Each structure stands twice: as C-alpha cells, then as structure tokens.
Amino acid sequence: QVQLVESGGDLVQPGGSLRLSCAASGFTFSMNDMSWYRQAPGKQRVLVATIAVLGGTTTYADSVKGRFTISRDNAKNTLYLQMNSLKSEDTDVYYCNRKNWATVWGQGTQVTVSS
C-alpha cells in the first residue's frame, strides 16, 4: 500500500540545478519525518537530507549542505529536494522515504551531472 514515486531527475551540467519530487501515499504523510537518500551502483545508500513533519527542522549531509534544500507540502503528500550548484559527485539515483520506518522503496530518479 505504501507507494513512493520519485521524479525530476535529469542530465544536467555542473553548476546547474534540479528539483526532485516525491509523491507519497499509503501512510499518513503529515505525521512522518521524511528523508532523501542517494545511491550509486556498487555503493551504499546514504542519507542526504531529512525534514520534520511541519518542515521546521531540517538536516543535511555535509556533502550537500548549502547547496540542497529539502521541503514538503503536507497538503499534497509531496516531498521536494531543490538541488543547486550541482557537482559530478552528485550523480546518483535519488530516493525518498520515511525517516523512521522505510518499509518499501520506490524506483528512485536518476540524477546525472556531466558536461
């Protein structure tokens, strides 16, 4: 029943920007802290950013701090990740999920930063 559908990934040049979206269903979105993760082939999934239920508290991995912004729209059950000043090392598949109970995962959305 839980569904997470990531979108917005694309090929972008270094220094460019992308806005990722995550459409969530099957759980009470507004009562769950939400996170973005990323994973490259052969590497572990890593936490990128987390946002509290009302959006007042956010945390970021050091690698993206100052460049990425996580946000949410509880009325639309949607999570966002605004990515600016993209670097080649940001190339990964990006996933969203509940911070505290990641039961299932979506397909993710591919972000490729390259010239």
Side-chain angles (χ1 to χ4, degrees):
Q1 188 174 14
V2 173
Q3 289 188 308
L4 300 160
V5 182
E6 299 92 348
S7 62
D10 205 353
L11 172 65
V12 63
Q13 294 183 338
S17 297
L18 286 173
R19 184 176 177 85
L20 307 184
S21 297
C22 168
S25 62
F27 63 94
T28 306
F29 180 82
S30 62
M31 295 184 67
N32 284 268
D33 294 356
M34 296 293 295
S35 297
W36 283 99
Y37 305 80
R38 65 187 184 186
Q39 185 175 31
K43 299 181 181 179
Q44 68 182 86
R45 182 184 292 114
V46 299
L47 179 65
V48 174
T50 298
I51 187 168
V53 291
L54 296 179
T57 301
T58 57
T59 59
Y60 298 91
D62 288 341
S63 58
V64 308
K65 197 170 299 180
R67 300 187 297 119
F68 290 11
T69 302
I70 187 172
S71 62
R72 65 192 296 160
D73 186 339
N74 286 342
K76 296 181 178 180
N77 286 358
T78 303
L79 182 72
Y80 303 98
L81 185 67
Q82 178 67 47
M83 305 187 296
N84 299 324
S85 302
L86 284 162
K87 306 174 181 178
S88 60
E89 54 261 43
D90 296 319
T91 296
D92 279 309
V93 178
Y94 285 72
Y95 303 87
C96 62
N97 221 318
R98 292 182 284 186
K99 170 64 177 178
N100 298 314
W101 195 11
T103 54
V104 299
W105 296 84
Q107 292 186 11
T109 186
Q110 175 72 52
V111 172
T112 302
V113 185
S114 177
S115 298

